Amino acid sequence: MSVNRPFYFGTNVKMTHTPEDTRIFLQMLTELGEELPADVRLFYLPPYTSLHLRGCSSLPSSVWLGAQNMHEDEWGAYTGEISAAMLRELGVELVLLGHSERRERYNETDEGVNRKVQAAVANGLKFILCIGETEREKRCGVARETLSRQLKMALHGLAACHLSKVHIAYEPVWAIGEKGSSAPPGHVAKMHAWIRNVLEELYPQESASVPILYGGSVNEQNCAELARTPLVDGLFVGRAVWDAENFRKVLYLSLASRMDKIES
Ligand code: PEP
């Protein structure tokens, strides 16, 4: 695999950014998108209430605005839900599917995530699929089984011609959020290798280009090491980059470390 694979970097801002915060962030992302090398892809996932701002932004094609979730059906009596077609109409190009908070707190199942995958693809949306083991699964030695199940079930029935829409985020549940701590790079490398093998099993000819990102307590201190960890195609960052200046700082530290790796 080439060392010059694109590098992905972005954030899911959960319930934090207001439309005004989003406006500031989009301005910063527009500037960044114009100054960064062509093989860097940025993504930003604000709450639904900010997605309409896609229409008045002039984001370069290397910066994607995405939603944090969506409903799997086209329409129906689902008060409070948003469909893929609605996102599409706002100009949104990306959607996050299967985040562990949705699996845990909203009882999202692997079957439900699979239906969302199908809906995303039917509506031309790229998606980031989150997978990751819990602390208990890691302790009991079944992390790989969890990753295989989540991947195979989410991608079930997806034709290889749609793989350009697929981005995987390995997010161990125990590493996410204030109570978590980042996975050691050695663990990340092993799990990314496992995910890569499962993708190859599913799509023997076509899966090499599917990016695998790492997420879970990435910050200014650990981003450099994680960015240069083998088989890491990008970083999915939360709290540490919700402030626009911090986003820029962590991104540049990650890119510098990546460049060192390529040059050494
Ligand atoms: C996340 O919520 O998916 C995440 C990676 O958050 P954090 O970086 O804050 O752990």
Side-chain angles (χ1 to χ4, degrees), residues 185-205:
H187 177 86
V188 174
K190 274 191 238 155
M191 294 300 141
H192 278 224
W194 180 260
I195 294 166
R196 182 62 63 208
N197 284 343
V198 177
L199 287 171
E200 271 166 26
E201 188 190 322
L202 293 176
Y203 303 97
Q205 308 298 327

Side-chain angles (χ1 to χ4, degrees), residues 12 14 99 101 171 175-177 215-218 236-239:
N12 164 23
K14 303 193 186 175
H99 191 280
E101 287 161 7
E171 295 214 310
I176 297 176
S217 296
V218 177
F236 185 114
V237 195
R239 299 154 287 151

Side-chain angles (χ1 to χ4, degrees), residues 70-83 86 115:
M70 64 174 198
H71 197 273
E72 63 263 35
D73 287 348
E74 280 300 306
W75 63 276
Y78 304 117
T79 301
E81 292 292 334
I82 302 284
S83 73
M86 291 170 178
R115 286 195 292 275

Side-chain angles (χ1 to χ4, degrees), residues 12-19 22 26 44-55 65-73 78-88 90-92 94-98 102 106 108 116 125:
N12 164 23
V13 295
K14 303 193 186 175
M15 277 173 68
T16 52
H17 282 185
T18 64
T22 294
L26 289 177
Y44 170 56
L45 312 172
Y48 288 137
T49 49
S50 290
L51 293 176
H52 64 287
L53 293 170
R54 178 71 184 88
L65 183 80
Q68 298 172 12
N69 181 36
M70 64 174 198
H71 197 273
E72 63 263 35
D73 287 348
Y78 304 117
T79 301
E81 292 292 334
I82 302 284
S83 73
M86 291 170 178
L87 296 178
R88 212 44 232 183
L90 288 176
V92 167
L94 177 71
V95 64
L96 181 64
L97 301 178
R102 297 219 52 96
Y106 300 94
E108 278 200 6
K116 292 185 180 194
L125 292 173

Side-chain angles (χ1 to χ4, degrees), residues 157-175:
L158 185 79
C161 62
H162 296 306
L163 280 182
S164 62
K165 302 277 185 251
V166 183
H167 307 72
I168 308 296
Y170 169 55
E171 295 214 310
V173 179
W174 47 271

